[in-house]
Amino acid sequence: MILPSKHLPQDRALLTAGAAILRRLSHPVTVSALWEQMPRTVTDPKASRSMHYDGFVLALDLLFLIGAIELRDGLLVRRTS
């Protein structure tokens, strides 16, 4: 589930979802505000599918475990080093 595979498209892999989250995490933000920033609708059938909340949370867990993000005073912060 972390990496794309034969049965898991690239846009559903946690690594891809984590990258999408990191692109939107330019400043400290709450989890709910970050979730609101994530794309929900798909108008182009060739575009990547929308992210579900469970995948969003699992991607946050992955980013936290690898040290890419941290929680400071209730806000998600992208770590730079």
Side-chain angles (χ1 to χ4, degrees), residues 25-44:
L25 196 56
S26 58
H27 59 277
V29 65
T30 62
V31 173
S32 59
L34 182 61
W35 170 242
E36 291 297 323
Q37 294 176 14
M38 300 306 292
R40 296 271 168 60
T41 59
V42 177
T43 56
D44 182 5

Side-chain angles (χ1 to χ4, degrees), residues 48-65:
S48 62
R49 290 178 242 168
S50 62
M51 181 182 299
H52 296 282
Y53 190 73
D54 57 343
F56 172 76
V57 172
L58 288 173
L60 285 178
D61 289 344
L62 175 67
L63 293 173
F64 181 78
L65 288 173

Side-chain angles (χ1 to χ4, degrees), residues 1-2 9 18 37 41 46 70 74 76-77:
M1 186 160 185
I2 294 174
Q37 294 176 14
T41 59
K46 293 181 181 176
E70 62 184 6
L76 289 174
V77 178

